[in-house]
Amino acid sequence: MHPAGPAAQVISQLWWVLLAGAAAIFLFVAALIALAWRRPPGETEERRFVVWLGLAFPMTVLAALLAYGLVVGERLLPRATPDLVRVQAEARQWDWRFGYDDAPGRVTENLLHIPAGRPVDVAITSVDVVHGFWVPRLAGKLDAVPGHVNLLRIEADSPGRYEGLGSEFNGAGYRDHRFTVIAHDAEGWRAFLRGETP
Amino acid sequence: MNALRRHRALSRIWASDPGLKGWFTTVNHTDLGRMFLFVATVFFVIGGILAMLIRAQLASPRSAFLGPDHYNQIFTMHGTIMMFLFAIPFFEGLAVYLLPKMLGTRDLAFPRLTAYGFWCYVFGGSMMIFALLAGIAPDSGWFMYPPLSSTIGAPGINSDFWLIGITFVEISAISAAVEITVTVLRYRAPGMKLSQMPIFAWYALVTAVMILTGFPPLILGSILLELERAFGLPFFQVAQGGDALLWQHLFWLFGHPEVYIIFLPAAGAISTILPVMARTTLMGYGWIVAAAVSLGVLSFGLWVHHMFTTGIPHMGLAFFSAASTLVAVPTAVQIFAWIGTLWKGRPSLHLPMLWLLAFFATFVIGGLTGVMVAIVPFDWQAHDTYFIVAHLHYVLVGGFVFPMIAALYYWMPHFTGRRTYFKLGNVAFWLVVPGFHGTFLALHWAGLLGMRRRIDTYESGQGWEVINIIASISGFVMAIGFALVLIDVVVNAVVAVRGSRDPWGAGTLDWAMPTPAAPYNFASLAQVTSRDPLYEDPELPVRLARGEGYLGDPGRGRRETLTVEIGTGAPRYIVVFPGNTALPVLMSAITGLFFLGMLIKAYWLVPISALGVTLCALLWVWGLGRPAPEEALPVGRGLSLHTAAEAADPPGWWGSVFLLLANGTFFGSLLFGYAFLFSIAPNWPPPAYLEPGALPVVLVLAGAGLTFLGSRIGTVVGQGMAPVGLALIAGAALPVLSESPDPTLHAYDATVWVFVGYGLLHCLVGMLMWSVVMLRRLSGHSADTTLGAMRIARLWSDYTLLVALLTAAAIGLPGVLT
């Protein structure tokens, strides 16, 4: 709820739209029900309730919503861009290991370094059970499935530390299955790639 | 014969055994419906206690009340109990109790099967509770994702309890579903057209068909996972060609229909109760039926929305996202038809109506948050957080528990024959409903603040403390409310005053009998001409009691009812039901030994108990039918009909059709799983495909030909040919398995073994069936009275042939083509 990157930003905006729409529909339905006690009984047209309210109304709302969702979804896709950074995330019970295309051989434990202001593709996999990769303030989540590699696009607007979580229940150590994302400024990122940051 | 003497005569015929023995030998749907409802309520209480433990643990940060090992068992069992041991059986209980009464008949299609299912449920559920008390309950979450739930993540016996116990319980779901389907289609009051059925029967029919097609994928998944755990067949281990995602597909292929399997019966209850509470008739009957059917169909197209975060390609996501939002449309049709019904009538505020209002408020919110999570990007954020926990409780408690309490209060006068008298129910209502919203409304927000589901405790300072303490306190208020509901029910059942027959002024046939219901339901069966027979003819109950309907003469001294044509409801033949027997409870106990042997790895017990079950089944079947045909017998109102024993399509044939529907879905799921591994799993192809050569092909083709011919000859010779053909097919297993001696090497080999095992089992069943038919003929039964049995055997052997041919293609083709 405190978005710090474009993906989380879009999703947060989506949520407020969804909430407003849902609240309006709920109040509408509640009012319709309350009115049943307020009006004299009598013949009520079936078509009005079933066809207009039951069929036409939700179809219109849902079509609009779906289109909106798909557009947002498109924006979250990991598409090719020139300044793309690629990292790997490998989950195990109950640790995370991260590798970097720009610094081959470099492995960090429970600490993911990324550059701020640039899109980062995280290639997520697992060596044992199913895990989930989630940095709530930067993007949605994606599962780490043994034998499969899933690609998630994340981006941090500004340098800082962001909490990351294992987000698929994975046994006794689930609660503390976390990691930290450190978003560097351009200089800090270069320093990290040179191996100067621990 | 006057009404009282008729009542006594019928009661003698239909009554359960007296005393304690009666509990175990009863096959009467009224008894068993009540027993189902009672046991399901007990499991609801257990699940509720677990929920309270969860809320106690989460009330404050850094709680030391429960450690993760206990906590993981508790939330896993909370979900498992509520889904499998409460919700589904509660529906079964309600349907078992109500359906024959609403449809105007005397019992369900297969009374002994009702009892068998009930006892399987009790024994399987007890296994799970034993695990819970012993501290070895499953702890991988109620959807049991491998590899966490497999030997890698859960080496103990915990997961085995889930896989074996739940599969055992599923027997009851499948048998209840077969029974409900056949009952709704064939066991109605004469004249009741499909379009005149009480709306609840439509919902029950859709739900039952969904159980038949929704549960088999889960049963398959459970068997595969148990095979992996017990014998190392690597279906879900990626290194050997398995895939963890296979389980997720099979599980949610069941799991999403499951949600509607739970909601639809509740919607059926709402559609029944709401018009009565509004003193009018239901608006848009046809629309509602169409909505229920389309919900049933659509619900099978959206299982992937539980897997949006597993790395499904974007196009796939778009499709399933659209399907998931689309499912809101038939739901909206029902909601607005109900509101229209309220507008049409003069709605009251009796206790059942209050609970229906709670349903509206809760379920609409749950539906709206459901649409939210159907939008993929939002789901990526909300998935596996308390937002989902809150959403699913709104849908399940709002969409099932509240309408079921409405149903409880609505039908309580029927259960007890008494007026609801005390006002405790109103107090309970005002504790449960605000308590519920206090618990779960704020938890949406906790989820959006990043609180993951299934964490055993949390650190302070993340803004979750206030939400959680409110949720816990409200949760306890809600629990007190539920306890008051139970107390209210007990008190009312024991001490309230006698009430009138139809206290709500309803129009359906369930109120056309004295309450509490007599074991035979109706002293005679009504001729139905409209949707609400009691509105058309308020004197109907009296006339039925006087024996003016069908089968009002108990003179033949046996349990009789009528079956009808599916569409028109024209009377077709007389069914003679079996009497009280301990066979079902015995057979389910032996079935229990089979599962117990698997569970504790006492494998010697498995074949012995399988043999025991087979013997019970033979005893069961042998008692059916009669050696020589009876002539057409009078059934009253000037009509004479033959009995089912002489019919070409006896109830058993219809039951077989729907059991084979479930069975076929199981086999289809197996083919799906094979295709999934073949195309998606990483470590494929296997080192080598099977190339068993010509011998098995020849055996299968020759056997299939022989069986096909034999099953169509219709003489004892043909009945002898069919099992020989099936034996030839079974013989093909030997050369195939000798080519693939070790099923633990690769998921491919493991799959081959499962295919072959499935085929072998069906060959054996088919051989047994044909042997029974042949023995019947040899022991002097006429061709007329074995016709039905022969057609049942033919149905099964035809299915077996199809399975054999498909299996041969599935196993053989990859080897031939590569």
Side-chain angles (χ1 to χ4, degrees):
Chain A
M1 275 299 97
H2 307 286
Q9 185 70 49
V10 182
I11 294 175
S12 173
Q13 195 187 338
L14 176 67
W15 152 248
W16 290 111
V17 173
L18 289 175
L19 180 63
I25 294 174
F26 177 73
L27 291 177
F28 172 62
V29 173
L32 275 185
I33 294 174
L35 270 178
W37 270 264
R38 289 269 161 196
R39 64 186 290 285
E43 276 314 298
T44 308
E45 213 194 330
E46 187 176 305
R47 173 185 291 271
R48 183 158 43 147
F49 276 93
V50 174
V51 178
W52 289 111
L53 286 172
L55 285 174
F57 166 61
M59 278 187 174
T60 318
V61 173
L62 292 172
L65 188 61
L66 196 65
Y68 178 38
L70 287 181
V71 170
V72 170
E74 287 294 323
R75 283 169 65 182
L76 298 181
L77 277 189
R79 296 194 182 288
T81 51
D83 56 346
L84 184 69
V85 175
R86 283 187 58 103
V87 300
Q88 296 91 39
E90 185 187 86
R92 65 190 64 227
Q93 288 177 319
W94 286 276
D95 281 307
W96 289 91
R97 285 182 194 170
F98 300 101
Y100 305 85
D101 275 12
D102 296 335
R106 190 84 187 268
V107 173
T108 54
E109 282 220 19
N110 296 326
L111 207 58
L112 170 62
H113 298 266
I114 59 168
R118 288 174 64 184
V120 179
D121 272 359
V122 190
I124 304 160
T125 190
S126 162
V127 296
D128 43 34
V129 305
V130 178
H131 302 273
F133 176 96
W134 188 29
V135 190
R137 294 189 58 201
L138 298 188
K141 57 181 77 66
L142 208 55
D143 285 354
V145 185
H148 295 263
V149 176
N150 288 330
L151 217 56
L152 180 71
R153 170 72 53 89
I154 64 172
E155 184 173 339
D157 287 335
S158 52
R161 296 172 79 89
Y162 302 95
E163 190 193 17
L165 298 165
S167 61
E168 183 65 59
F169 177 69
N170 57 16
Y174 180 53
R175 185 212 325 156
D176 294 320
H177 192 223
R178 354 167 143 263
F179 56 95
T180 306
V181 177
I182 300 181
H184 298 278
D185 55 21
E187 180 49 42
W189 176 243
R190 275 193 295 276
F192 168 75
L193 291 182
R194 286 197 302 271
E196 288 166 12
T197 329
Chain B
M1 180 179 271
N2 67 17
L4 187 61
R5 288 187 51 199
R6 175 170 295 103
H7 167 71
R8 289 203 180 121
L10 282 168
S11 294
R12 257 196 311 280
I13 298 169
W14 287 82
S16 312
D17 290 327
L20 190 65
K21 187 184 167 205
W23 292 97
F24 298 98
T25 58
T26 183
V27 290
N28 182 287
H29 79 102
T30 302
D31 293 341
L32 286 161
R34 287 199 182 120
M35 286 152 80
F36 254 115
L37 290 173
F38 174 77
V39 176
T41 307
V42 169
F43 281 116
F44 178 71
V45 171
I46 297 173
I49 291 170
L50 296 180
M52 290 307 101
L53 292 176
I54 293 173
R55 280 323 314 169
Q57 167 75 3
L58 294 179
S60 57
R62 305 191 64 124
S63 170
F65 175 53
L66 297 165
D69 47 341
H70 287 121
Y71 186 78
N72 295 348
Q73 292 186 25
I74 285 172
F75 76 70
T76 300
M77 287 300 285
H78 168 69
T80 304
I81 287 175
M82 288 306 197
M83 285 287 190
F84 295 104
L85 303 180
F86 162 63
I88 301 288
F90 199 89
F91 154 68
E92 288 163 22
L94 199 65
V96 163
Y97 180 86
L98 281 180
L99 268 182
K101 297 178 169 62
M102 289 186 133
L103 294 170
T105 185
R106 282 174 171 163
D107 207 327
L108 290 163
F110 309 107
R112 291 181 299 183
L113 192 63
T114 325
Y116 176 67
F118 171 75
W119 291 108
C120 284
Y121 162 53
V122 170
F123 292 141
S126 310
M127 263 185 192
M128 304 295 288
I129 299 307
F130 170 79
L132 186 65
L133 293 176
I136 46 175
D139 55 1
S140 317
W142 82 273
F143 35 77
M144 295 288 289
Y145 281 178
L148 182 64
S149 60
S150 188
T151 37
I152 299 174
I157 198 173
N158 310 46
S159 296
D160 300 316
F161 270 106
W162 196 99
L163 297 168
I164 288 169
I166 293 301
T167 303
F168 190 13
V169 171
E170 293 329 331
I171 292 178
S172 79
I174 295 286
S175 48
V178 168
E179 188 146 49
I180 289 167
T181 316
V182 177
T183 303
V184 171
L185 291 181
R186 302 299 314 266
Y187 288 69
R188 302 195 301 266
M192 186 189 278
K193 300 190 182 90
L194 272 184
S195 57
Q196 289 170 337
M197 286 202 302
I199 190 77
F200 183 81
W202 272 110
Y203 277 104
L205 178 64
V206 174
T207 309
V209 174
M210 287 179 72
I211 289 179
L212 293 177
T213 45
F215 276 57
L218 174 70
I219 297 174
L220 172 69
S222 301
I223 291 175
L224 296 187
L225 185 50
E226 185 55 33
L227 286 175
E228 172 171 311
R229 291 178 53 87
F231 306 113
L233 273 57
F235 295 102
F236 307 102
Q237 287 173 18
V238 70
Q240 289 139 282
D243 196 332
L245 288 182
L246 172 62
W247 170 269
Q248 296 196 18
H249 280 290
L250 290 175
F251 187 88
W252 291 117
L253 208 50
F254 143 80
H256 201 82
E258 154 93 348
V259 175
Y260 291 91
I261 289 170
I262 290 173
F263 169 64
L264 283 174
I270 297 165
S271 296
T272 307
I273 300 169
L274 190 98
V276 178
M277 290 293 127
R279 288 164 279 209
T280 180
T281 51
L282 185 64
M283 175 188 276
Y285 177 95
W287 284 102
I288 287 191
V289 170
V293 172
S294 48
L295 260 186
V297 173
L298 278 176
S299 70
F300 284 91
L302 31 89
W303 80 94
V304 171
H305 78 208
H306 296 266
M307 299 167 62
F308 278 165
T309 66
T310 57
I312 307 277
H314 193 65
M315 269 312 290
L317 290 185
F319 174 80
F320 283 102
S321 180
S324 307
T325 47
L326 196 61
V327 84
V329 175
T331 315
V333 168
Q334 293 172 78
I335 298 263
F336 286 109
W338 292 330
I339 297 177
T341 306
L342 288 178
W343 277 49
K344 204 170 102 179
R346 284 178 299 125
S348 66
L349 274 179
H350 295 299
L351 198 47
M353 189 64 221
L354 277 184
W355 283 103
L356 291 188
L357 288 178
F359 150 79
F360 276 111
T362 314
F363 186 74
V364 169
I365 294 178
L368 290 169
T369 53
V371 172
M372 294 183 188
V373 291
I375 305 297
V376 178
F378 183 72
D379 183 69
W380 281 0
Q381 199 65 22
H383 187 74
D384 268 315
T385 68
Y386 265 82
F387 191 90
I388 299 294
V389 174
H391 158 70
L392 74 91
H393 281 88
Y394 264 81
V395 176
L396 292 175
V397 177
F400 184 77
V401 179
F402 290 174
M404 282 298 133
I405 297 180
L408 189 64
Y409 278 111
Y410 176 78
W411 275 294
M412 198 146 73
H414 199 292
F415 289 128
T416 62
R418 295 165 195 272
R419 276 161 61 190
T420 40
Y421 183 68
F422 293 94
K423 296 292 168 209
L424 208 53
N426 291 51
V427 180
F429 175 82
W430 289 109
L431 288 176
V432 171
V433 177
F436 173 83
H437 287 270
T439 311
F440 290 107
L441 195 60
L443 281 179
H444 286 107
W445 201 253
L448 292 178
L449 288 176
M451 184 166 169
R452 295 168 290 163
R453 68 196 287 193
R454 296 176 172 173
I455 45 172
D456 60 310
T457 186
Y458 51 93
E459 298 293 322
S460 51
Q462 302 177 86
W464 306 347
E465 293 96 326
V466 177
I467 294 174
N468 275 291
I469 189 73
I470 292 175
S472 291
I473 293 171
S474 308
F476 281 97
V477 171
M478 170 169 54
I480 293 168
F482 278 126
L484 284 186
V485 172
L486 293 181
I487 293 171
D488 191 34
V489 171
V490 172
V491 170
N492 268 304
V494 175
V495 301
V497 294
R498 286 267 163 210
S500 60
R501 184 183 44 73
D502 184 5
W504 308 108
T508 43
L509 284 174
D510 43 332
W511 299 102
M513 61 179 69
T515 54
Y520 55 83
N521 281 347
F522 300 96
S524 63
L525 304 183
Q527 171 78 35
V528 172
T529 50
S530 73
R531 229 170 257 165
D532 291 293
L534 289 188
Y535 291 161
E536 182 146 305
D537 177 12
E539 288 303 302
L540 182 68
V542 182
R543 295 202 291 107
L544 293 182
R546 278 202 228 113
E548 292 173 22
Y550 296 96
L551 293 177
D553 178 9
R556 286 191 284 269
R558 54 190 190 186
R559 300 183 180 186
E560 288 183 343
T561 196
L562 295 181
T563 64
V564 297
E565 289 291 335
I566 291 180
T568 60
R572 189 70 183 78
Y573 44 71
I574 305 169
V575 168
V576 182
F577 284 128
N580 302 324
T581 165
L583 193 58
V585 66
L586 179 72
M587 183 158 148
S588 64
I590 301 175
T591 313
L593 288 180
F594 177 88
F595 285 101
L596 190 69
M598 294 289 294
L599 179 67
I600 60 173
K601 305 202 185 307
Y603 293 118
W604 55 270
L605 194 56
V606 175
I608 294 176
S609 40
L611 196 66
V613 171
T614 312
L615 285 177
C616 286
L618 288 176
L619 268 176
W620 182 305
V621 170
W622 199 255
L624 292 165
R626 36 182 307 128
E630 292 175 289
E631 56 211 77
L633 304 168
V635 295
R637 295 176 63 111
L639 190 67
S640 288
L641 294 172
H642 287 276
T643 63
E646 295 152 51
D649 60 339
W653 186 84
W654 285 92
S656 292
V657 168
F658 290 104
L659 188 55
L660 284 176
L661 172 66
N663 200 348
T665 314
F666 182 90
F667 187 67
S669 310
L670 182 59
L671 286 173
F672 164 81
Y674 181 44
F676 177 85
L677 289 179
F678 195 96
S679 52
I680 307 272
N683 290 314
W684 278 67
Y689 285 119
L690 235 55
E691 287 171 43
L695 179 60
V697 179
V698 171
L699 282 173
V700 168
L701 289 180
L706 198 60
T707 308
F708 190 82
L709 271 180
S711 64
R712 271 153 185 81
I713 287 178
T715 62
V716 179
V717 178
Q719 289 150 10
M721 275 162 69
V724 175
L726 291 173
L728 283 181
I729 298 177
L734 212 61
V736 171
L737 290 189
S738 65
E739 275 277 304
S740 162
D742 187 358
T744 64
L745 282 180
H746 193 273
Y748 169 75
D749 301 278
T751 312
V752 167
W753 276 66
V754 172
F755 269 119
V756 171
Y758 181 83
L760 278 178
L761 180 69
H762 280 77
C763 287
L764 274 176
V765 171
M767 286 158 71
L768 268 175
M769 284 181 150
W770 281 113
S771 310
V772 168
V773 173
M774 195 168 66
L775 283 176
R776 280 230 169 173
R777 289 289 279 129
L778 292 176
S779 71
H781 282 238
S782 73
D784 285 341
T785 52
T786 30
L787 180 62
M790 198 186 76
R791 290 188 71 235
I792 293 172
R794 191 196 294 164
L795 200 61
W796 279 85
S797 67
D798 283 353
Y799 176 77
T800 306
L801 298 188
L802 187 68
V803 164
L805 296 176
L806 285 174
T807 300
I811 293 177
L813 282 183
V816 175
L817 297 179
T818 52

